[in-house]
Amino acid sequence: MKRPSFKRPAAAPRSSRAALLPTPKPRTRRWAWAGGILGLVVALVCFAPAAWLGSALAAATQQRLLLADARGSLWTGSARLILSGGTGSRDASELPDRLQWTLRPAWIAGGIGLRLTLNQDCCIRPDAPITLRLGLGKLAINLPDSADGRPWIQWPASWLAGLGTPWNTLAPDGRMALSAQQFRVERDQGRWQVQGVIQLDLQELSSRLSSVDPLGSYRLSILGSTTPQLMLQTLQGPLILNGQGSLGNRVQFRGDATAAPGSEAALANLLNIIGRREGARSIISVG
């Protein structure tokens, strides 16, 4: 008795089998691309080298403030802090200690932000962070208060010589102390607003152009408003500097320099360099 025979069905062509496999949907592909791009962006942000920060700062200041020999990352790093006269200038001056920084995400005033802490043994207090609050079309930068009477930053005045003319001619010496009170810079829908006060004290200032040492101590203040105001005043000393100005679309400043009684002859050369002479006064004009 013959066994029944069965024919094995012919295998489908390979092209037909491929057609039966499910093809990725366009939406799936888009999500895959979006995930890959997001991962790349996160990796770039998390591992961004400190040198990128140095390049951005140099471009923003036209090569006048430099983070040289930057090490670490955007989030934790250090660099040498240098003042320069700009592109092509041979003038430069460097602070003695490396600047160190840490940048961390933070929850600030009910919103997402960043906390930047700077530390420099010679010059910057590490217990006074800068905070940045971010929002839709908004940015707010807060400088640390100096409520305890201690300045936030102190630099040697000789550092200014790195900026080139006229600072390299004046060759200033003394100390610069920076402090702030509720100082806040805010950008909202493309408009900038400044609140609070920031002041730079020039203490026991002297110059190689004058035999009078020290020339005096001075305070330059920025007063917050829709158009921030500048104010220069003399705290003490034989060289008397005073003036006012504003920080709008451009810097405008008008002031004068005079010598205290008995110091006219000793300060005559310096007054000729500071500004335009009008009798006993030297007129200072910017903008």
Side-chain angles (χ1 to χ4, degrees):
M1 183 175 180
K2 286 187 176 182
R3 293 183 180 179
S5 62
F6 299 94
K7 289 186 178 181
R8 195 171 183 177
R14 182 172 298 181
S15 58
S16 300
R17 281 183 291 171
L20 297 176
L21 296 176
T23 57
K25 295 181 179 180
R27 182 177 298 179
T28 304
R29 287 198 297 266
R30 286 197 296 268
W31 278 110
W33 275 104
I37 293 172
L38 180 61
L40 179 60
V41 170
V42 170
L44 287 175
V45 171
C46 291
F47 300 102
W52 288 10
L53 181 62
S55 298
L57 184 62
T61 61
Q62 298 181 339
Q63 305 293 320
R64 287 181 171 82
L65 184 58
L66 307 176
L67 293 177
D69 187 27
R71 303 172 187 172
S73 70
L74 172 69
W75 304 100
T76 303
S78 69
R80 294 157 43 213
L81 194 58
I82 295 175
L83 277 183
S84 167
T87 304
S89 173
R90 296 183 179 180
D91 293 294
S93 57
E94 179 179 349
L95 291 172
D97 298 309
R98 290 180 68 88
L99 173 68
Q100 303 175 39
W101 69 83
T102 57
L103 181 64
R104 296 289 183 268
W107 191 255
I108 299 170
I112 298 174
L114 296 169
R115 180 174 284 107
L116 173 63
T117 302
L118 304 175
N119 183 16
Q120 195 173 26
D121 291 343
C122 67
C123 310
I124 303 179
R125 289 171 48 189
D127 58 342
I130 303 170
T131 60
L132 298 86
R133 187 177 184 276
L134 309 174
L136 293 175
K138 296 182 179 181
L139 171 66
I141 303 173
N142 293 272
L143 297 187
D145 284 348
S146 301
D148 57 1
R150 293 189 301 159
W152 170 38
I153 296 176
Q154 294 188 81
W155 289 310
S158 56
W159 191 43
L160 294 174
L163 290 173
T165 306
W167 299 103
N168 55 359
T169 301
L170 292 171
D173 198 8
R175 298 182 306 278
M176 300 185 295
L178 186 69
S179 58
Q181 294 293 333
Q182 299 180 343
F183 190 77
R184 175 186 178 95
V185 179
E186 186 172 5
R187 179 180 174 86
D188 188 357
Q189 304 302 326
R191 299 183 62 183
W192 289 96
Q193 186 174 4
V194 178
Q195 302 173 9
V197 179
I198 186 171
Q199 61 189 33
L200 177 67
D201 287 349
L202 304 173
Q203 302 168 344
E204 302 294 316
L205 191 67
S206 64
S207 170
R208 69 181 178 189
L209 297 181
S210 174
S211 58
V212 178
D213 186 8
L215 295 168
S217 296
Y218 311 92
R219 174 168 295 165
L220 179 64
S221 303
I222 299 177
L223 311 177
S225 67
T226 304
T227 301
Q229 301 298 301
L230 286 173
M231 181 178 294
L232 175 64
Q233 61 187 116
T234 299
L235 302 178
Q236 61 178 8
L239 176 65
I240 302 172
L241 303 174
N242 292 290
Q244 294 182 340
S246 63
L247 294 172
N249 294 328
R250 61 176 184 172
V251 177
Q252 293 183 317
F253 180 82
R254 299 290 183 275
D256 60 64
T258 57
S263 301
E264 293 89 350
L267 294 175
N269 184 45
L270 185 60
L271 289 173
N272 290 334
I273 295 174
I274 288 177
R276 187 183 76 258
R277 288 299 293 266
E278 285 188 1
R281 297 192 309 161
S282 181
I283 306 301
I284 306 169
S285 178
V286 178

